Amino acid sequence: GAVVSQHPSWVICKSGTSVKIECRSLDFQATTMFWYRQFPKQSLMLMATSNEGSKATYEQGVEKDKFLINHASLTLSTLTVTSAHPEDSSFYICSATGFTYNEQFFGPGTRLTVL
Amino acid sequence: GNSVTQMEGPVTLSEEAFLTINCTYTATGYPSLFWYVQYPGEGLQLLLKATKADDKGSNKGFEATYRKETTSFHLEKGSVQVSDSAVYFCALGFSENTPLVFGKGTRLSVIA
């Protein structure tokens, strides 16, 4: 299957700072990427859908000014958590799909801890 | 709306025991159904899938059958191993370009 990477895998930051998380498709062109958030011992909740070259579509209740998503190329999407606060601490997971695939491929996730 | 309900965990089994994790869904239309596995500290990996009614997905000894009449996709394995300890997520989706809807996950612990 195709490979999706995320960087960093783990980040700790101070409250009020911004953090950027990268999601890369390593061996395919990702036309669509999804960003999910996973709270401890809970399911994945969709945050937004990102299509290359277009503005992301955010789910209801997700602040687009706080969670900035950019999908500038067919292999990279970024999620920037702006002015992070402790309640933003979570596990963020991206998934991607491309022209020739009929499934999504998930990244390994990024654990964000805001102090 | 679309939703997935799966049995609450955690589930603890002895090695070589039979595993069943129940999953039912509600959907408008005809979704594909998936089981994903998440090992400690890792991301989600697709375990198996089924795209239409009566299809059976299978992989690594796990299997699940898409039952439209009972709107279910229960995961089974005849003999679990310690290495199967993980969190299992049932999910549904309509195409590769639409997001998946996940159940809450079931944590499985297999003891030797």
Side-chain angles (χ1 to χ4, degrees), chain B residues 6-86:
Chain B
Q6 60 183 104
M7 64 187 287
E8 297 277 338
V11 174
T12 302
L13 295 174
S14 298
E15 209 167 21
E16 300 185 1
F18 184 85
L19 168 71
T20 300
I21 300 178
N22 290 335
C23 170
T24 57
Y25 68 91
T26 301
T28 52
Y30 303 98
S32 294
L33 301 175
F34 307 85
W35 277 101
Y36 283 86
V37 59
Q38 186 178 33
Y39 296 103
E42 299 183 14
L44 273 72
Q45 299 175 28
L46 179 63
L47 181 60
L48 54 84
K49 67 179 182 180
T51 59
K52 61 183 186 297
D54 300 325
D55 269 2
K56 177 185 283 188
S58 61
N59 185 27
K60 299 180 180 179
F62 292 90
E63 58 181 36
T65 301
Y66 190 143
R67 301 287 187 196
K68 183 180 173 185
E69 63 277 11
T70 55
T71 61
S72 64
F73 193 55
H74 304 323
L75 181 68
E76 295 182 337
K77 186 175 185 181
S79 176
V80 294
Q81 304 300 312
V82 172
S83 57
D84 294 326
S85 298

Side-chain angles (χ1 to χ4, degrees), chain A residues 13-90:
Chain A
C13 70
K14 292 182 179 180
S15 186
T17 61
S18 295
V19 174
K20 180 183 286 188
I21 301 170
E22 295 184 347
C23 175
R24 292 183 184 271
S25 56
L26 298 186
D27 50 4
F28 69 102
Q29 293 184 324
T31 51
T32 303
M33 288 184 168
F34 303 96
W35 286 95
Y36 297 86
R37 182 173 178 176
Q38 184 181 25
F39 291 98
K41 300 184 179 181
Q42 295 192 32
S43 187
L44 283 74
M45 301 301 294
L46 179 69
M47 299 176 67
T49 301
S50 166
N51 292 300
E52 186 268 336
S54 302
K55 289 185 177 181
T57 302
Y58 291 81
E59 293 299 295
Q60 190 172 9
V62 177
E63 299 176 60
K64 61 181 180 181
D65 294 332
K66 179 167 188 61
F67 299 99
L68 300 178
I69 293 172
N70 184 288
H71 191 167
S73 78
L74 284 171
T75 60
L76 173 65
S77 176
T78 60
L79 166 66
T80 301
V81 183
T82 61
S83 186
H85 289 93
E87 58 266 29
D88 299 323
S89 298
S90 192

